[in-house]
Amino acid sequence: MIQPPRPSSQTRVRMRAISARQSRIREDRVATEEPLEIRIDLGGDVRSAAVTMRTPGADFELATGFLLAEGIIREREDVRQISYCVDPGLTAEQRYNVVTVRLAGNRPVDFDPLNRHFLISSACGVCGKTSLDQLELQGAVPLPDGPVVPVSVLTGLPDALRSRQRLFDSTGGLHAAALFDADGSLMAVREDIGRHNALDKLLGWAMLDGRLPAHRGMVLVSGRASFELAQKCVAAGVPILCAVSAPSSLAIDVARRFNLTLVGFLREDRCNVYHGSHRIQVGEADLERRNRTG
């Protein structure tokens, strides 16, 4: 039996390039956008958790990161198996667009909150969640203090991320999220047409690789910092979230509630710290003062 090809992260298209002096047909590459259904298998009871529009690739990581942020799973051991669906009712093209996550143990799962995610667009991501109290009900707790990171390390992160955005170089149409260690070492980058999906893929990779909670980690996202992105970092135990653009007001509220350092407009040699500046070293004298005062 011939297996259907997996969808690619890029799609070749023909288009007309027009300038002031000429018009010609040429080939271009665009980011692929296809739906991914995430299913949960709990002791044989299989249900849909969400449908998201994503760029194919790292689908198992995307499903893992999504379920982590939703409080469905909290550690690597909660996941017994992840697989593409082999449901005979699916067409060959659909099989790589459905992922089933088989959970371990008999821990009860409340499926009702997942109903709001049954269709998630790449533009809005995880929509409709406006209550900080709900995050605490899902098990979110304030992040521990530390590490302290020199601002010179922070300002070097965007260039490190940009150098690894391979799909962006080809298509020009993808968001990216990167995980760094406290010394600025780049651990992983994930890209997707949806900024929330990119971070889910990244944090899903970290969970499956046994790197969570990432209490000495830093996340950099290529766009703005929203409530959902801040929520995902708290769930993964990441104490520092940086964005090259602006944060939202609710993202700042999440940072204040859960001791998250939130950095916006991280560009060139400057940035704005909206909460958690105790983790940012501005100079040697500042570091010594922070150490003396605890």
Side-chain angles (χ1 to χ4, degrees), residues 101-113:
V101 180
R102 185 182 178 193
L103 302 183
N106 297 315
R107 182 167 60 86
V109 174
D110 181 10
F111 287 94
D112 289 340

PDB file of all heavy atoms in Angstrom, residues 101-113:
ATOM      1  N   VAL A 101      -3.195  12.101  20.832  1.00  0.00           N
ATOM      2  CA  VAL A 101      -2.310  12.036  21.988  1.00  0.00           C
ATOM      3  C   VAL A 101      -2.951  11.089  23.003  1.00  0.00           C
ATOM      4  O   VAL A 101      -4.027  11.364  23.533  1.00  0.00           O
ATOM      5  CB  VAL A 101      -2.091  13.420  22.628  1.00  0.00           C
ATOM      6  CG1 VAL A 101      -1.151  13.310  23.825  1.00  0.00           C
ATOM      7  CG2 VAL A 101      -1.534  14.393  21.594  1.00  0.00           C
ATOM      8  N   ARG A 102      -2.292   9.970  23.241  1.00  0.00           N
ATOM      9  CA  ARG A 102      -2.787   8.988  24.210  1.00  0.00           C
ATOM     10  C   ARG A 102      -2.204   9.319  25.577  1.00  0.00           C
ATOM     11  O   ARG A 102      -0.983   9.356  25.754  1.00  0.00           O
ATOM     12  CB  ARG A 102      -2.384   7.574  23.788  1.00  0.00           C
ATOM     13  CG  ARG A 102      -2.947   6.471  24.676  1.00  0.00           C
ATOM     14  CD  ARG A 102      -2.448   5.129  24.193  1.00  0.00           C
ATOM     15  NE  ARG A 102      -2.911   4.050  25.041  1.00  0.00           N
ATOM     16  CZ  ARG A 102      -2.437   2.814  25.015  1.00  0.00           C
ATOM     17  NH1 ARG A 102      -1.465   2.514  24.155  1.00  0.00           N
ATOM     18  NH2 ARG A 102      -2.905   1.889  25.822  1.00  0.00           N
ATOM     19  N   LEU A 103      -3.081   9.611  26.524  1.00  0.00           N
ATOM     20  CA  LEU A 103      -2.647  10.006  27.854  1.00  0.00           C
ATOM     21  C   LEU A 103      -2.411   8.781  28.745  1.00  0.00           C
ATOM     22  O   LEU A 103      -3.057   7.750  28.591  1.00  0.00           O
ATOM     23  CB  LEU A 103      -3.690  10.920  28.505  1.00  0.00           C
ATOM     24  CG  LEU A 103      -4.024  12.211  27.747  1.00  0.00           C
ATOM     25  CD1 LEU A 103      -5.009  13.041  28.560  1.00  0.00           C
ATOM     26  CD2 LEU A 103      -2.777  13.009  27.434  1.00  0.00           C
ATOM     27  N   ALA A 104      -1.483   8.932  29.678  1.00  0.00           N
ATOM     28  CA  ALA A 104      -1.172   7.867  30.625  1.00  0.00           C
ATOM     29  C   ALA A 104      -2.032   8.002  31.872  1.00  0.00           C
ATOM     30  O   ALA A 104      -2.497   9.094  32.218  1.00  0.00           O
ATOM     31  CB  ALA A 104       0.306   7.926  31.009  1.00  0.00           C
ATOM     32  N   GLY A 105      -2.246   6.891  32.555  1.00  0.00           N
ATOM     33  CA  GLY A 105      -2.949   6.916  33.833  1.00  0.00           C
ATOM     34  C   GLY A 105      -4.439   7.113  33.680  1.00  0.00           C
ATOM     35  O   GLY A 105      -4.992   7.149  32.580  1.00  0.00           O
ATOM     36  N   ASN A 106      -5.072   7.264  34.818  1.00  0.00           N
ATOM     37  CA  ASN A 106      -6.523   7.414  34.857  1.00  0.00           C
ATOM     38  C   ASN A 106      -6.940   8.767  35.404  1.00  0.00           C
ATOM     39  O   ASN A 106      -8.038   8.908  35.942  1.00  0.00           O
ATOM     40  CB  ASN A 106      -7.137   6.298  35.710  1.00  0.00           C
ATOM     41  CG  ASN A 106      -6.881   4.924  35.121  1.00  0.00           C
ATOM     42  OD1 ASN A 106      -7.043   4.729  33.927  1.00  0.00           O
ATOM     43  ND2 ASN A 106      -6.465   3.988  35.960  1.00  0.00           N
ATOM     44  N   ARG A 107      -6.054   9.770  35.298  1.00  0.00           N
ATOM     45  CA  ARG A 107      -6.395  11.095  35.809  1.00  0.00           C
ATOM     46  C   ARG A 107      -7.563  11.670  35.023  1.00  0.00           C
ATOM     47  O   ARG A 107      -7.535  11.696  33.792  1.00  0.00           O
ATOM     48  CB  ARG A 107      -5.180  12.022  35.701  1.00  0.00           C
ATOM     49  CG  ARG A 107      -5.406  13.418  36.252  1.00  0.00           C
ATOM     50  CD  ARG A 107      -4.071  14.146  36.392  1.00  0.00           C
ATOM     51  NE  ARG A 107      -3.387  14.289  35.129  1.00  0.00           N
ATOM     52  CZ  ARG A 107      -3.601  15.297  34.286  1.00  0.00           C
ATOM     53  NH1 ARG A 107      -4.508  16.218  34.584  1.00  0.00           N
ATOM     54  NH2 ARG A 107      -2.927  15.385  33.168  1.00  0.00           N
ATOM     55  N   PRO A 108      -8.622  12.121  35.700  1.00  0.00           N
ATOM     56  CA  PRO A 108      -9.779  12.661  34.978  1.00  0.00           C
ATOM     57  C   PRO A 108      -9.413  13.924  34.211  1.00  0.00           C
ATOM     58  O   PRO A 108      -8.598  14.727  34.660  1.00  0.00           O
ATOM     59  CB  PRO A 108     -10.789  12.943  36.089  1.00  0.00           C
ATOM     60  CG  PRO A 108      -9.965  13.119  37.328  1.00  0.00           C
ATOM     61  CD  PRO A 108      -8.804  12.182  37.167  1.00  0.00           C
ATOM     62  N   VAL A 109     -10.026  14.077  33.047  1.00  0.00           N
ATOM     63  CA  VAL A 109      -9.786  15.237  32.191  1.00  0.00           C
ATOM     64  C   VAL A 109     -11.112  15.932  31.954  1.00  0.00           C
ATOM     65  O   VAL A 109     -12.103  15.301  31.581  1.00  0.00           O
ATOM     66  CB  VAL A 109      -9.156  14.826  30.842  1.00  0.00           C
ATOM     67  CG1 VAL A 109      -9.050  16.034  29.911  1.00  0.00           C
ATOM     68  CG2 VAL A 109      -7.791  14.205  31.069  1.00  0.00           C
ATOM     69  N   ASP A 110     -11.142  17.234  32.192  1.00  0.00           N
ATOM     70  CA  ASP A 110     -12.330  18.035  31.930  1.00  0.00           C
ATOM     71  C   ASP A 110     -12.265  18.513  30.491  1.00  0.00           C
ATOM     72  O   ASP A 110     -11.478  19.388  30.148  1.00  0.00           O
ATOM     73  CB  ASP A 110     -12.385  19.219  32.899  1.00  0.00           C
ATOM     74  CG  ASP A 110     -13.630  20.080  32.682  1.00  0.00           C
ATOM     75  OD1 ASP A 110     -14.518  19.648  31.925  1.00  0.00           O
ATOM     76  OD2 ASP A 110     -13.703  21.166  33.275  1.00  0.00           O
ATOM     77  N   PHE A 111     -13.089  17.920  29.635  1.00  0.00           N
ATOM     78  CA  PHE A 111     -13.069  18.271  28.218  1.00  0.00           C
ATOM     79  C   PHE A 111     -13.844  19.546  27.913  1.00  0.00           C
ATOM     80  O   PHE A 111     -13.661  20.141  26.854  1.00  0.00           O
ATOM     81  CB  PHE A 111     -13.656  17.129  27.380  1.00  0.00           C
ATOM     82  CG  PHE A 111     -12.752  15.931  27.264  1.00  0.00           C
ATOM     83  CD1 PHE A 111     -12.868  14.871  28.144  1.00  0.00           C
ATOM     84  CD2 PHE A 111     -11.795  15.867  26.265  1.00  0.00           C
ATOM     85  CE1 PHE A 111     -12.046  13.764  28.035  1.00  0.00           C
ATOM     86  CE2 PHE A 111     -10.964  14.766  26.154  1.00  0.00           C
ATOM     87  CZ  PHE A 111     -11.083  13.710  27.036  1.00  0.00           C
ATOM     88  N   ASP A 112     -14.705  19.985  28.814  1.00  0.00           N
ATOM     89  CA  ASP A 112     -15.579  21.122  28.511  1.00  0.00           C
ATOM     90  C   ASP A 112     -14.822  22.394  28.138  1.00  0.00           C
ATOM     91  O   ASP A 112     -15.198  23.078  27.172  1.00  0.00           O
ATOM     92  CB  ASP A 112     -16.519  21.392  29.690  1.00  0.00           C
ATOM     93  CG  ASP A 112     -17.590  20.311  29.829  1.00  0.00           C
ATOM     94  OD1 ASP A 112     -17.831  19.601  28.826  1.00  0.00           O
ATOM     95  OD2 ASP A 112     -18.160  20.168  30.928  1.00  0.00           O
ATOM     96  N   PRO A 113     -13.747  22.763  28.885  1.00  0.00           N
ATOM     97  CA  PRO A 113     -13.047  23.999  28.498  1.00  0.00           C
ATOM     98  C   PRO A 113     -12.427  23.952  27.111  1.00  0.00           C
ATOM     99  O   PRO A 113     -12.144  24.991  26.517  1.00  0.00           O
ATOM    100  CB  PRO A 113     -11.960  24.129  29.577  1.00  0.00           C
ATOM    101  CG  PRO A 113     -12.483  23.348  30.739  1.00  0.00           C
ATOM    102  CD  PRO A 113     -13.227  22.207  30.127  1.00  0.00           C
TER     103      PRO A 113
END
